Amino acid sequence: MRTSDCLRRAVLTAALVSAGLSPLSLKAQQSVRPDSTGVEILEATEVTSLEPGRDYFSDNYARVERALSAPFARTLRRNSLLLVIDHRTRQSLDNNPFRDFLGLDAGGLKIGLGLRYGLLDNLECGLYRLNGVSEIFDVYEFDLKFAPLHQGKNGLDLALRSGLTWFAQPGIEDAAGGFFQVLADRTFLGRLTLGAGIMYHSESSNEAKNDQSTSWSVAAPLSAELRLNRLVALDLESVTPLGGYRSRNPLFNAGVKIITNRHTFALLVGNGRYLSADGLVCGTPRRLGDAIIGFTIIREFDL
C-alpha cells in the first residue's frame, strides 16, 4: 500500500476518534479497487455505529455476576476464574466521617473473599468466606449455579443456584444449612439489566437473630444496573424478606461500578452488611438512616 493511502487511512481514523467514536463502536465496510497505475487500494466505503452497548457484555469485559450484593442469573464463561474481594463497614458513614474515614477506619469490617469457576458456559461453582464480627462464627459458602436459559436464545437469563453454608464456631460445635435460589434477569437495549428472583435458606443468620427466631427465611431480590458507557454503571438493589425469620428492614444498596478489561470495582452506600446467602435472605436490622459504605473488587481470569 502506498504512503498516500496509509496517510488517508490515518486521517480517517483520526477524524473518527476526534468525533468520539472508538473502534469498538464502529463497523466499517471496506472495498478494494485498483488505482490508475493498477495498484489495489483498500478503502472504507461506509462507517456505521453499532447498537449502543452491544459490546458491553463481550469477552473484553468482566462477566459481572452480581449487582452489588444480590446475584445475577448470568454465569461465567467456561474455564474462567472470578476472584471476589468484599468490604463492608460497621460504623455508619455519618458518624465521625472525617476521623474514621467514612467508617473504613472504625474497625469491625465485614470482609468477604470468594472464588468462582466456570465449569461450562452455563454451569459454575463457587466458594466464599465471610468473617464474623458481631457473630461468633465465620461463614463458608459452597454452591453450584446452573443457567438453563439465556437471553440470546430464550429471551431472558434464568439460573438455579443451590449450595451449603457452613458456620465455623470456635469452641463449640459447628452448624450448617442449605440454600436454594431462582434468579432471572434481562438486558434491555444493551444498557439496562433488570433482575429478580426468590431466595431460600434453611438457617439464615445476622447479628440480630437469636435462638428463639425461626430458623429459615425466604426473600425476593430486585436489582437494576444501567450501563452509562463502557466504563461506568449505576446499580440499585433490594432484598425483601417474605417469610420465616425477618429483620426489621429490607436491604437497600445503591452504587457505582467502574468496569474495565476483566476488572470491576464497585463502591456502594446502603444498609446491608451481609453478602453470603444466609445473611442476604433475612434483610437487615439497620435503617437507611444508618447507612454504611462498602466496596467490591472483582477480577476475572482465563485458565
Side-chain angles (χ1 to χ4, degrees), residues 3-4 10 17 22 24 30 40 51 56 58 75 95 112 122 179 187-188 200 220 227 247 249-250 255 299 302:
T3 302
S4 60
V17 172
S22 71
L24 286 176
Q30 296 178 330
E40 291 187 341
E51 176 187 346
Y56 292 177
S58 71
T75 52
N95 185 1
N122 63 348
F179 64 91
T187 301
F188 299 89
Y200 165 82
R227 229 33 180 306
S247 284
N249 306 296
R299 180 66 182 173
D302 286 328

Side-chain angles (χ1 to χ4, degrees), residues 65-236:
E65 49 86 35
R66 63 162 96 165
L68 297 166
S69 300
F72 280 136
R74 63 179 68 125
T75 52
L76 299 178
R77 303 173 181 90
R78 183 176 183 178
N79 292 329
S80 65
L81 183 70
L82 204 69
L83 170 65
V84 180
I85 302 173
D86 290 309
H87 280 68
R88 302 291 186 269
T89 62
R90 173 185 60 83
Q91 182 172 287
S92 301
L93 61 88
D94 61 347
N95 185 1
N96 295 311
F98 181 77
R99 186 188 69 187
D100 293 332
F101 196 40
L102 300 176
L104 288 170
D105 196 33
L109 293 178
K110 274 289 186 184
I111 301 174
L113 297 173
L115 285 174
R116 304 198 66 80
Y117 176 67
L119 298 167
L120 301 170
D121 286 332
N122 63 348
L123 179 66
E124 67 180 60
C125 61
L127 165 65
Y128 188 77
R129 180 191 184 276
L130 189 66
N131 68 319
V133 180
S134 303
E135 310 80 11
I136 62 172
F137 54 83
D138 297 327
V139 172
Y140 293 84
E141 183 175 287
F142 311 88
D143 77 279
L144 284 172
K145 184 161 70 169
F146 171 63
L149 301 181
H150 294 274
Q151 180 170 329
K153 296 180 179 179
N154 310 108
L156 82 163
D157 295 316
L158 179 70
L160 308 176
R161 181 170 179 248
S162 183
L164 172 72
T165 302
W166 169 37
F167 304 98
Q169 307 174 100
I172 59 176
E173 184 178 357
D174 292 348
F179 64 91
F180 182 75
Q181 300 173 354
V182 179
L183 306 168
D185 55 57
R186 178 178 171 82
T187 301
F188 299 89
L189 301 176
R191 291 185 182 274
L192 176 63
T193 300
L194 301 179
I198 191 76
M199 308 167 70
Y200 165 82
H201 203 292
S202 65
E203 294 289 340
S204 59
S205 67
N206 65 15
E207 62 197 60
K209 191 171 182 179
N210 57 51
D211 293 339
Q212 306 303 314
S213 303
T214 305
S215 59
W216 58 274
S217 295
V218 174
L222 294 173
S223 58
E225 178 174 289
L226 177 63
R227 229 33 180 306
L228 298 180
N229 51 43
R230 291 184 182 82
L231 186 66
V232 180
L234 301 179
D235 284 75
L236 291 171

Side-chain angles (χ1 to χ4, degrees), residues 61-62 64 225 227 230-231 233 257-261 263-264:
Y61 293 89
V64 183
E225 178 174 289
R227 229 33 180 306
R230 291 184 182 82
L231 186 66
K257 284 180 182 172
I258 307 299
I259 303 171
T260 61
N261 187 19
H263 181 90
T264 304

Side-chain angles (χ1 to χ4, degrees), residues 18-38:
S18 66
L21 300 173
S22 71
L24 286 176
S25 66
L26 299 175
K27 180 179 180 181
Q29 300 294 329
Q30 296 178 330
S31 64
V32 178
R33 66 170 180 82
D35 67 1
S36 58
T37 63

